[in-house]
Coordinates of all heavy atoms in Angstrom, one line a residue:
L39 N 15.4 -1.2 -6.4 CA 14.8 -2.5 -6.5 C 14.3 -2.8 -8.0 O 14.3 -4.0 -8.3 CB 13.6 -2.5 -5.6 CG 14.0 -2.6 -4.1 CD1 12.8 -2.4 -3.2 CD2 14.7 -3.9 -3.8
Q40 N 14.1 -1.8 -8.8 CA 13.7 -2.0 -10.2 C 14.9 -2.5 -11.0 O 14.7 -3.2 -11.9 CB 13.2 -0.7 -10.8 CG 11.9 -0.3 -10.2 CD 10.7 -1.3 -10.5 OE1 10.6 -1.8 -11.6 NE2 9.9 -1.5 -9.5
I41 N 16.1 -2.1 -10.5 CA 17.3 -2.5 -11.3 C 18.0 -3.7 -10.8 O 18.5 -4.6 -11.5 CB 18.4 -1.3 -11.2 CG1 17.8 -0.1 -11.9 CG2 19.7 -1.7 -11.8 CD1 18.7 1.2 -11.6
L42 N 18.0 -3.9 -9.4 CA 18.7 -5.1 -8.8 C 18.0 -6.4 -9.2 O 16.8 -6.5 -9.2 CB 18.7 -4.9 -7.3 CG 19.5 -3.7 -6.8 CD1 19.2 -3.4 -5.4 CD2 21.0 -4.0 -7.0
P43 N 18.8 -7.4 -9.5 CA 18.2 -8.7 -9.9 C 17.4 -9.3 -8.8 O 17.8 -9.3 -7.6 CB 19.5 -9.5 -10.3 CG 20.6 -8.6 -10.3 CD 20.2 -7.4 -9.6
E44 N 16.3 -10.0 -9.1 CA 15.5 -10.6 -8.2 C 16.2 -11.6 -7.3 O 16.0 -11.7 -6.1 CB 14.3 -11.4 -8.9 CG 13.2 -10.4 -9.4 CD 12.4 -9.8 -8.3 OE1 12.2 -10.4 -7.2 OE2 11.9 -8.7 -8.5
G45 N 17.1 -12.3 -7.8 CA 17.8 -13.4 -7.1 C 19.0 -12.9 -6.2 O 19.6 -13.7 -5.5
D46 N 19.3 -11.6 -6.3 CA 20.4 -11.0 -5.5 C 20.0 -10.5 -4.2 O 19.8 -9.3 -4.0 CB 21.1 -10.0 -6.4 CG 22.5 -9.5 -5.8 OD1 22.7 -9.9 -4.6 OD2 23.2 -8.8 -6.4
G47 N 19.7 -11.4 -3.2 CA 19.2 -10.9 -1.9 C 20.1 -10.0 -1.2 O 19.7 -9.1 -0.5
E48 N 21.4 -10.2 -1.4 CA 22.4 -9.4 -0.7 C 22.3 -7.9 -1.1 O 22.5 -7.0 -0.3 CB 23.8 -9.9 -0.9 CG 24.9 -9.2 -0.2 CD 26.3 -9.7 -0.5 OE1 26.5 -10.9 -0.7 OE2 27.2 -8.9 -0.5
A49 N 22.1 -7.7 -2.4 CA 22.0 -6.4 -2.9 C 20.6 -5.8 -2.7 O 20.5 -4.6 -2.4 CB 22.3 -6.4 -4.4
R50 N 19.5 -6.6 -2.7 CA 18.1 -6.1 -2.6 C 17.8 -5.8 -1.1 O 17.0 -4.9 -0.9 CB 17.2 -7.1 -3.2 CG 17.3 -7.2 -4.7 CD 16.3 -8.3 -5.2 NE 14.9 -7.8 -5.1 CZ 14.3 -7.0 -6.0 NH1 15.0 -6.5 -7.0 NH2 13.1 -6.6 -5.8
T51 N 18.3 -6.5 -0.2 CA 17.9 -6.4 1.2 C 18.1 -5.0 1.8 O 17.2 -4.4 2.4 CB 18.7 -7.4 2.1 OG1 18.3 -8.7 1.6 CG2 18.3 -7.3 3.5
P52 N 19.3 -4.3 1.5 CA 19.4 -2.9 2.0 C 18.3 -2.0 1.5 O 17.9 -1.1 2.3 CB 20.8 -2.5 1.6 CG 21.5 -3.8 1.4 CD 20.5 -4.8 0.9
A53 N 17.9 -2.1 0.3 CA 16.8 -1.3 -0.2 C 15.5 -1.5 0.5 O 14.8 -0.6 0.9 CB 16.7 -1.5 -1.7
H54 N 15.2 -2.8 0.8 CA 14.0 -3.1 1.5 C 14.1 -2.6 3.0 O 13.2 -2.1 3.5 CB 13.8 -4.6 1.5 CG 13.2 -5.2 0.3 ND1 12.0 -4.8 -0.3 CD2 13.7 -6.1 -0.6 CE1 11.8 -5.4 -1.4 NE2 12.9 -6.2 -1.6
E55 N 15.3 -2.8 3.6 CA 15.5 -2.3 4.9 C 15.3 -0.8 5.0 O 14.7 -0.2 5.9 CB 16.9 -2.6 5.4 CG 17.1 -4.0 5.8 CD 18.5 -4.3 6.3 OE1 19.4 -4.5 5.5 OE2 18.7 -4.3 7.6
L56 N 15.7 -0.1 4.0 CA 15.5 1.4 3.9 C 14.0 1.7 3.8 O 13.5 2.6 4.5 CB 16.3 2.0 2.8 CG 16.3 3.5 2.8 CD1 17.0 4.1 4.0 CD2 17.0 4.1 1.6
L57 N 13.3 0.9 3.0 CA 11.9 1.2 2.9 C 11.1 0.9 4.2 O 10.1 1.5 4.5 CB 11.3 0.4 1.7 CG 11.8 0.9 0.3 CD1 11.4 0.0 -0.8 CD2 11.2 2.3 0.1
V58 N 11.7 -0.1 5.0 CA 11.1 -0.3 6.3 C 11.3 0.9 7.2 O 10.3 1.4 7.8 CB 11.8 -1.5 7.0 CG1 11.5 -1.5 8.5 CG2 11.4 -2.8 6.4
K59 N 12.5 1.5 7.1 CA 12.7 2.7 7.9 C 11.8 3.9 7.5 O 11.3 4.6 8.3 CB 14.2 3.2 7.8 CG 15.2 2.3 8.5 CD 16.6 2.7 8.2 CE 17.6 1.8 8.8 NZ 19.0 2.2 8.5
V60 N 11.6 4.0 6.2 CA 10.7 5.0 5.6 C 9.3 4.8 6.1 O 8.7 5.7 6.6 CB 10.8 5.1 4.1 CG1 9.6 5.9 3.5 CG2 12.1 5.6 3.6
A61 N 8.9 3.6 6.1 CA 7.5 3.3 6.5 C 7.3 3.6 8.0 O 6.3 4.1 8.4 CB 7.2 1.8 6.2
L62 N 8.3 3.2 8.8 CA 8.2 3.5 10.2 C 8.3 5.0 10.5 O 7.6 5.4 11.4 CB 9.3 2.7 11.0 CG 9.2 1.2 11.0 CD1 10.4 0.5 11.6 CD2 7.9 0.8 11.8
A63 N 9.1 5.7 9.8 CA 9.1 7.1 9.9 C 7.8 7.8 9.6 O 7.4 8.8 10.2 CB 10.2 7.8 9.0
R64 N 7.0 7.1 8.7 CA 5.7 7.6 8.3 C 4.6 7.0 9.2 O 3.4 7.2 9.0 CB 5.4 7.3 6.9 CG 6.3 8.0 5.9 CD 6.0 7.5 4.5 NE 6.7 8.3 3.5 CZ 6.9 7.9 2.3 NH1 6.5 6.7 1.9 NH2 7.6 8.6 1.4
N65 N 5.0 6.2 10.2 CA 4.0 5.5 11.1 C 3.1 4.6 10.2 O 1.9 4.4 10.6 CB 3.2 6.4 11.9 CG 4.1 7.1 12.9 OD1 4.9 6.5 13.6 ND2 4.0 8.4 13.0
D66 N 3.6 4.0 9.2 CA 2.9 3.1 8.3 C 3.3 1.7 8.6 O 4.2 1.1 8.0 CB 3.1 3.4 6.8 CG 2.2 2.6 5.9 OD1 1.6 1.6 6.3 OD2 2.2 3.0 4.7

């Protein structure tokens, strides 16, 4: 997410989705 351009939703979304999975795995 630090590298991917802010306006590139297609590229950024999978990283956010993965962070959702991480948060859910941590029960956060």
